[in-house]
mmCIF file of all heavy atoms in Angstrom:
data_model
loop_
_atom_site.group_PDB
_atom_site.id
_atom_site.type_symbol
_atom_site.label_atom_id
_atom_site.label_comp_id
_atom_site.label_asym_id
_atom_site.label_seq_id
_atom_site.Cartn_x
_atom_site.Cartn_y
_atom_site.Cartn_z
ATOM 1 N N ALA A 10 -22.113 -3.327 16.842
ATOM 2 C CA ALA A 10 -22.125 -2.337 15.764
ATOM 3 C C ALA A 10 -21.046 -1.271 15.935
ATOM 4 O O ALA A 10 -20.276 -1.005 14.995
ATOM 5 C CB ALA A 10 -23.511 -1.713 15.638
ATOM 6 N N LEU A 13 -17.506 -2.852 15.370
ATOM 7 C CA LEU A 13 -17.180 -3.078 13.962
ATOM 8 C C LEU A 13 -16.860 -1.769 13.253
ATOM 9 O O LEU A 13 -15.942 -1.708 12.416
ATOM 10 C CB LEU A 13 -18.332 -3.792 13.263
ATOM 11 C CG LEU A 13 -18.469 -5.287 13.568
ATOM 12 C CD1 LEU A 13 -19.762 -5.834 12.984
ATOM 13 C CD2 LEU A 13 -17.269 -6.061 13.014
ATOM 14 N N GLN A 21 -9.144 0.703 7.452
ATOM 15 C CA GLN A 21 -9.076 1.645 6.340
ATOM 16 C C GLN A 21 -7.903 2.603 6.503
ATOM 17 O O GLN A 21 -7.222 2.949 5.531
ATOM 18 C CB GLN A 21 -10.383 2.436 6.249
ATOM 19 C CG GLN A 21 -10.466 3.380 5.051
ATOM 20 C CD GLN A 21 -10.387 2.639 3.722
ATOM 21 O OE1 GLN A 21 -10.894 1.521 3.589
ATOM 22 N NE2 GLN A 21 -9.737 3.237 2.740
ATOM 23 N N ARG A 50 5.101 -10.835 7.729
ATOM 24 C CA ARG A 50 5.301 -9.420 7.409
ATOM 25 C C ARG A 50 4.023 -8.612 7.609
ATOM 26 O O ARG A 50 4.065 -7.410 7.845
ATOM 27 C CB ARG A 50 5.755 -9.268 5.959
ATOM 28 C CG ARG A 50 7.141 -9.815 5.660
ATOM 29 C CD ARG A 50 7.475 -9.652 4.187
ATOM 30 N NE ARG A 50 8.765 -10.236 3.856
ATOM 31 C CZ ARG A 50 9.259 -10.297 2.607
ATOM 32 N NH1 ARG A 50 8.551 -9.797 1.615
ATOM 33 N NH2 ARG A 50 10.444 -10.841 2.394
ATOM 34 N N LYS A 52 1.685 -9.117 9.941
ATOM 35 C CA LYS A 52 1.080 -9.422 11.241
ATOM 36 C C LYS A 52 0.459 -8.218 11.925
ATOM 37 O O LYS A 52 -0.376 -8.377 12.823
ATOM 38 C CB LYS A 52 2.107 -10.068 12.170
ATOM 39 C CG LYS A 52 3.292 -9.206 12.517
ATOM 40 C CD LYS A 52 4.287 -9.975 13.375
ATOM 41 C CE LYS A 52 5.536 -9.171 13.676
ATOM 42 N NZ LYS A 52 5.248 -7.958 14.465
ATOM 43 N N PHE A 109 -2.503 -18.137 12.053
ATOM 44 C CA PHE A 109 -1.085 -18.484 12.106
ATOM 45 C C PHE A 109 -0.315 -17.589 13.075
ATOM 46 O O PHE A 109 0.575 -18.043 13.790
ATOM 47 C CB PHE A 109 -0.509 -18.351 10.693
ATOM 48 C CG PHE A 109 0.933 -18.733 10.571
ATOM 49 C CD1 PHE A 109 1.301 -20.059 10.465
ATOM 50 C CD2 PHE A 109 1.930 -17.770 10.542
ATOM 51 C CE1 PHE A 109 2.633 -20.428 10.347
ATOM 52 C CE2 PHE A 109 3.264 -18.120 10.421
ATOM 53 C CZ PHE A 109 3.611 -19.456 10.320
ATOM 54 N N LYS A 113 -1.997 -11.703 16.250
ATOM 55 C CA LYS A 113 -3.318 -11.470 15.665
ATOM 56 C C LYS A 113 -4.394 -12.226 16.442
ATOM 57 O O LYS A 113 -5.499 -11.712 16.658
ATOM 58 C CB LYS A 113 -3.336 -11.890 14.194
ATOM 59 C CG LYS A 113 -2.671 -10.894 13.273
ATOM 60 C CD LYS A 113 -2.993 -11.189 11.816
ATOM 61 C CE LYS A 113 -2.611 -10.010 10.946
ATOM 62 N NZ LYS A 113 -3.012 -10.198 9.538
ATOM 63 N N LYS A 143 -7.864 -32.128 12.372
ATOM 64 C CA LYS A 143 -8.387 -32.995 13.430
ATOM 65 C C LYS A 143 -9.453 -32.248 14.222
ATOM 66 O O LYS A 143 -9.578 -31.028 14.147
ATOM 67 C CB LYS A 143 -7.259 -33.441 14.358
ATOM 68 C CG LYS A 143 -6.511 -32.292 15.018
ATOM 69 C CD LYS A 143 -5.361 -32.787 15.860
ATOM 70 C CE LYS A 143 -4.608 -31.619 16.503
ATOM 71 N NZ LYS A 143 -3.475 -32.087 17.336
ATOM 72 N N ARG A 171 -16.775 -33.341 5.677
ATOM 73 C CA ARG A 171 -17.673 -32.896 6.739
ATOM 74 C C ARG A 171 -18.721 -31.889 6.256
ATOM 75 O O ARG A 171 -19.592 -31.497 7.039
ATOM 76 C CB ARG A 171 -16.855 -32.252 7.872
ATOM 77 C CG ARG A 171 -15.701 -33.100 8.392
ATOM 78 C CD ARG A 171 -16.171 -34.409 8.988
ATOM 79 N NE ARG A 171 -15.065 -35.187 9.529
ATOM 80 C CZ ARG A 171 -14.733 -35.225 10.810
ATOM 81 N NH1 ARG A 171 -15.418 -34.517 11.682
ATOM 82 N NH2 ARG A 171 -13.721 -35.965 11.220
ATOM 83 N N ASP A 188 -6.127 -23.371 -8.801
ATOM 84 C CA ASP A 188 -6.522 -24.773 -8.673
ATOM 85 C C ASP A 188 -7.785 -24.913 -7.832
ATOM 86 O O ASP A 188 -8.623 -25.795 -8.084
ATOM 87 C CB ASP A 188 -5.390 -25.632 -8.110
ATOM 88 C CG ASP A 188 -4.854 -25.147 -6.771
ATOM 89 O OD1 ASP A 188 -4.964 -23.932 -6.493
ATOM 90 O OD2 ASP A 188 -4.316 -25.976 -6.013
ATOM 91 N N ALA A 191 -10.697 -23.888 -10.202
ATOM 92 C CA ALA A 191 -10.992 -24.949 -11.170
ATOM 93 C C ALA A 191 -11.780 -26.082 -10.519
ATOM 94 O O ALA A 191 -12.684 -26.660 -11.131
ATOM 95 C CB ALA A 191 -9.679 -25.479 -11.758
ATOM 96 N N ALA A 197 -18.755 -31.515 -11.737
ATOM 97 C CA ALA A 197 -18.402 -32.923 -11.563
ATOM 98 C C ALA A 197 -17.720 -33.166 -10.217
ATOM 99 O O ALA A 197 -17.706 -34.306 -9.726
ATOM 100 C CB ALA A 197 -17.488 -33.382 -12.701
ATOM 101 N N TYR A 200 -19.803 -29.313 -6.706
ATOM 102 C CA TYR A 200 -20.068 -27.944 -6.281
ATOM 103 C C TYR A 200 -20.772 -27.156 -7.375
ATOM 104 O O TYR A 200 -20.613 -27.448 -8.566
ATOM 105 C CB TYR A 200 -18.753 -27.215 -5.940
ATOM 106 C CG TYR A 200 -17.988 -27.824 -4.809
ATOM 107 C CD1 TYR A 200 -17.007 -28.781 -5.044
ATOM 108 C CD2 TYR A 200 -18.256 -27.466 -3.482
ATOM 109 C CE1 TYR A 200 -16.298 -29.354 -4.000
ATOM 110 C CE2 TYR A 200 -17.554 -28.043 -2.429
ATOM 111 C CZ TYR A 200 -16.587 -28.982 -2.695
ATOM 112 O OH TYR A 200 -15.887 -29.559 -1.655
#
Side-chain angles (χ1 to χ4, degrees):
L13 284 172
Q21 184 62 35
R50 293 178 183 176
K52 63 183 176 63
F109 183 81
K113 283 193 166 185
K143 58 183 179 180
R171 308 298 182 99
D188 56 334
Y200 298 92

